[in-house]
């Protein structure tokens, strides 16, 4: 796996030399700082897709997508900052801005009662848009009379409803399409794969590193400016408030407000630099826990080994025009993008301090993020099967040589991925032998 390090670092350096820095991108679009809370429609793909190669036609959509925007997944993410602000209010320590922030936090907390983790109307709208554009971009697949569309979801409600929204658009585009929707625990082994003993041991190690990094960030992040905006007694703040922790909590609430249509805004509490620093810490956290970080022996992407096997199986066994749509979570899309080596998603670097120069999580997993692998066959029936990858509807490179980017020979990619999976199975077997499992 180390052979990937130099390649991806060089690619990342070339990209960073010609493009904006993460700090500049976040200053231009504050919503990017939300990491996995980013509203898909606040970062739309705008580049036109490359035309189909001459003599070819698209015939298979092989897809995995995340649910759309949602409420935060834990009540404590709302109540923890609210309790702190209520304490300050009771003692007369809030400024006028602090009072307004408490009002907003109380409101969003009230809406979240019995709804934590649920899909929002924003999330539903995202998937309607994606489904509509799928039909527009690939009418040869989605508008073909009687096309079979196999849509599968994890058992989580927000994923199921995301699947429904997308299928509604596809059905509207083609009333003759034949849908098969499936939701079952029996599908979890590849739609949301449980960690193996090897990956559990790796995750335990990286989780500890992540917690250490997070604690250090919260402790050391400058928070005096925000404290003076919210509170009228700095000595009381010093004595009574863990200000770095409150700042971290409020940023999560602020970032996820783009998941709603409410007229609320907590982003105004933060300067562009503070937004960047909050994002930067979370960028490192996600890289450690789910990407090809050397701290995790570059094994974390293989948490989606079963998903990749299913993608290969579908590609190998599908002959007719068809679509296979899978719906799950960002903790699957992120490592899958790394495992597929889309663009520089699979970057391997131990330089966490400069990670954002080459690896930015908001490019991979906004709400409703998706990977579309589109397969093309020669109309004549003679020639290689080609495949194109879209990450969030943007064409992206794949780990093989090609003379006609963004199209690649499937046989080359298939062999590469099978070799990766074989290598991983060897690591699993080695771990079992050494641990006596």
């Amino acid at each position: 796996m180390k052979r990937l390090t130099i390649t991806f670092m060089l690619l990342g350096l070339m990209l960073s030399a010609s493009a904006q820095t993460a700090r500049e991108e976040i200053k231009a679009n504050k919503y990017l700082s939300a990491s996995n809370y980013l509203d898909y429609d606040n970062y739309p793909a705008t580049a036109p897709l490359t035309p189909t190669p001459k003599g070819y036609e698209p015939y298979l959509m092989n897809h995995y997508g995340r649910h759309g925007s949602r409420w935060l997944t834990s009540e404590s993410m709302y109540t923890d900052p609210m309790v702190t602000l209520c304490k300050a209010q009771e003692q007369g320590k809030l400024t006028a801005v602090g009072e307004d922030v408490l009002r907003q936090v109380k409101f969003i907390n009230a809406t979240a009662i019995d709804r934590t983790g649920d899909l929002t109307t924003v999330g539903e709208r995202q998937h309607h848009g994606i489904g509509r554009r799928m039909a527009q971009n690939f009418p040869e697949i989605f508008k073909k009379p009687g096309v079979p569309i196999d849509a599968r979801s994890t058992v989580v409600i927000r994923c199921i409803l995301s699947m429904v929204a997308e299928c509604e658009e596809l059905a509207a585009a083609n009333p003759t399409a034949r849908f098969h929707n499936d939701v079952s625990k029996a599908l979890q082994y590849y739609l949301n794969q449980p960690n193996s003993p090897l990956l559990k041991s790796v995750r335990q190690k990286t989780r500890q590193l992540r917690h250490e990094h997070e604690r250090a960030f919260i402790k050391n992040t400058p928070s005096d400016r925000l404290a003076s905006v919210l509170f009228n007694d700095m000595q009381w703040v010093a004595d009574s408030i863990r200000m770095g922790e409150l700042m971290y909590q409020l940023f999560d609430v602020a970032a996820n407000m783009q998941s709603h249509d409410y007229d609320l805004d907590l982003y105004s509490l933060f300067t562009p630099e503070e937004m960047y620093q909050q994002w930067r810490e979370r960028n490192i956290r996600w890289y450690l826990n789910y990407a090809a970080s050397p701290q995790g022996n570059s094994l974390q992407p293989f948490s989606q080994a079963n998903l990749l096997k299913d993608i290969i199986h579908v590609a190998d066994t599908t002959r007719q025009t068809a679509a296979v749509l899978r719906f799950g979570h960002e903790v699957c899309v992120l490592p899958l993008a790394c495992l597929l080596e889309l663009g520089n998603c699979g970057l391997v670097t131990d330089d966490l301090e400069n990670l954002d120069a080459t690896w930015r999580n908001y490019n991979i997993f906004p709400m409703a993020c998706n990977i579309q692998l589109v397969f093309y066959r020669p109309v004549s029936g003679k020639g290689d099967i080609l495949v194109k990858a879209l990450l969030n509807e943007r064409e992206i490179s794949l780990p093989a040589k090609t003379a006609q980017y963004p199209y690649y020979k499937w046989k080359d990619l298939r062999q590469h991925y099978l070799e990766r999976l074989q290598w991983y199975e060897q690591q699993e077997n080695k771990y079992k032998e050494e641990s006596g499992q």
Side-chain angles (χ1 to χ4, degrees):
M1 305 306 293
K2 290 183 178 179
R3 59 188 173 79
L4 298 175
T5 306
I6 295 177
T7 301
F8 282 125
M9 288 189 73
L10 289 175
L11 175 61
L13 290 172
M14 287 189 292
L15 289 173
S16 63
S18 61
Q20 287 183 307
T21 65
R23 181 183 271 107
E24 291 168 337
E25 287 186 337
I26 288 170
K27 186 176 182 178
N29 182 357
K30 63 185 178 182
Y31 297 110
L32 300 181
S33 65
S35 296
N36 60 316
Y37 301 141
L38 171 63
D39 173 3
Y40 192 85
D41 294 329
N42 278 334
Y43 191 36
T46 56
L49 299 182
T50 304
T52 299
K54 186 177 180 181
Y56 276 82
E57 62 177 1
Y59 75 97
L60 171 63
M61 170 65 74
N62 216 346
H63 155 283
Y64 189 96
R66 180 195 184 191
H67 59 77
S69 286
R70 54 165 172 75
W71 274 267
L72 294 172
T73 54
S74 168
E75 288 185 6
S76 65
M77 298 182 77
Y78 296 110
T79 57
D80 286 352
M82 186 176 71
V83 167
T84 300
L85 293 171
C86 283
K87 174 184 175 182
Q89 184 187 50
E90 290 169 0
Q91 299 185 38
K93 302 301 182 182
L94 288 180
T95 63
V97 173
E99 292 282 358
D100 185 62
V101 170
L102 176 56
R103 176 190 64 81
Q104 293 190 57
V105 173
K106 280 184 173 181
F107 175 85
I108 198 71
N109 176 71
T111 71
I113 294 173
D114 294 329
R115 301 226 66 161
T116 51
D118 283 358
L119 192 72
T120 66
T121 54
V122 173
E124 184 181 18
R125 187 163 63 238
Q126 291 159 356
H127 280 282
H128 276 286
I130 293 168
R132 184 167 56 252
R133 289 188 296 274
M134 270 188 179
Q136 292 169 349
N137 291 333
F138 306 104
E140 299 90 342
I141 297 175
F142 291 103
K143 295 186 179 182
K144 183 179 178 64
V147 62
I149 299 177
D150 187 353
R152 316 162 184 177
S153 171
T154 67
V155 296
V156 178
I157 293 174
R158 60 181 175 271
C159 302
I160 298 170
L161 293 177
S162 296
M163 174 179 70
V164 169
E166 215 155 293
C167 288
E168 284 177 346
E169 288 294 335
L170 297 174
N174 182 2
T176 72
R178 295 182 290 111
F179 288 89
H180 173 66
N181 296 98
D182 200 358
V183 178
S184 172
K185 290 182 180 179
L187 306 177
Q188 292 289 103
Y189 77 95
Y190 70 90
L191 288 179
N192 192 7
Q193 180 179 336
N195 281 324
S196 67
L198 171 58
L199 288 175
K200 284 181 179 177
S201 68
V202 169
R203 183 64 53 78
Q204 184 177 6
K205 173 185 175 183
T206 57
R207 186 182 292 115
Q208 181 178 348
L209 290 173
R210 187 203 82 187
H211 287 327
E212 290 173 358
H213 191 275
E214 183 179 308
R215 283 193 295 268
F217 173 79
I218 290 174
K219 179 180 179 181
N220 298 320
T221 188
S223 57
D224 288 348
R225 188 207 63 81
L226 181 59
S228 66
V229 170
L230 296 174
F231 305 106
N232 56 30
D233 185 338
M234 294 302 98
Q235 186 58 54
W236 180 86
V237 170
D239 296 337
S240 308
I241 299 292
R242 294 190 179 99
M243 193 56 214
E245 186 174 298
L246 177 62
M247 188 175 186
Y248 198 86
Q249 294 167 347
L250 283 173
F251 189 80
D252 276 341
V253 178
N256 195 57
M257 278 188 172
Q258 60 190 290
S259 293
H260 303 276
D261 288 322
Y262 305 131
D263 185 21
L264 301 172
D265 178 26
L266 291 183
Y267 259 138
S268 59
L269 286 175
F270 301 91
T271 67
E273 180 63 19
E274 288 168 345
M275 293 180 195
Y276 163 71
Q277 293 296 342
Q278 290 286 331
W279 166 81
R280 181 175 172 274
E281 189 282 326
R282 289 161 175 82
N283 192 54
I284 292 172
R285 182 180 78 188
W286 282 98
Y287 181 75
L288 284 172
N289 251 23
Y290 292 97
S293 65
Q295 294 85 350
N297 301 325
S298 301
L299 288 170
Q300 311 243 42
F302 290 94
S303 64
Q304 304 311 307
N306 288 344
L307 181 51
L308 176 54
K309 290 176 185 177
D310 186 69
I311 288 171
I312 293 172
H313 172 74
V314 167
D316 287 348
T317 57
T318 301
R319 297 293 176 264
Q320 67 184 115
T321 301
V324 175
L325 312 178
R326 309 167 186 84
F327 294 85
H329 308 269
E330 81 270 48
V331 294
C332 303
V333 174
L334 173 53
L336 178 63
C338 299
L339 183 58
L340 291 171
E341 300 169 76
L342 302 181
N344 73 330
C345 292
L347 174 76
V348 179
T349 177
D350 56 8
D351 185 5
L352 297 179
E353 292 307 304
N354 295 300
L355 177 65
D356 63 286
T358 49
W359 195 92
R360 300 168 195 174
N361 60 20
Y362 51 73
N363 289 322
I364 306 173
F365 67 173
M367 296 289 189
C369 59
N370 57 92
I371 295 171
Q372 301 177 22
L373 298 177
V374 189
F375 288 73
Y376 297 75
R377 61 189 171 197
V379 176
S380 66
K382 297 180 180 180
D384 293 306
I385 297 295
L386 303 180
V387 63
K388 171 170 71 174
L390 303 180
L391 176 60
N392 302 323
E393 301 178 75
R394 296 166 171 84
E395 292 175 340
I396 195 165
S397 63
L398 287 160
K401 293 181 179 180
T402 183
Q404 49 183 334
Y405 177 84
Y407 299 97
Y408 297 79
K409 293 180 180 179
W410 170 240
K411 66 180 181 182
D412 295 340
L413 288 165
R414 181 181 184 277
Q415 181 61 34
H416 175 72
Y417 291 142
L418 289 175
E419 288 175 359
R420 294 202 78 193
L421 290 170
Q422 183 180 29
W423 176 85
Y424 174 65
E425 288 175 4
Q426 292 171 351
Q427 306 310 305
E428 285 276 14
N429 292 333
K430 181 180 178 182
Y431 180 81
K432 289 177 182 178
E433 292 176 3
E434 293 177 348
S435 62
Q437 296 188 28

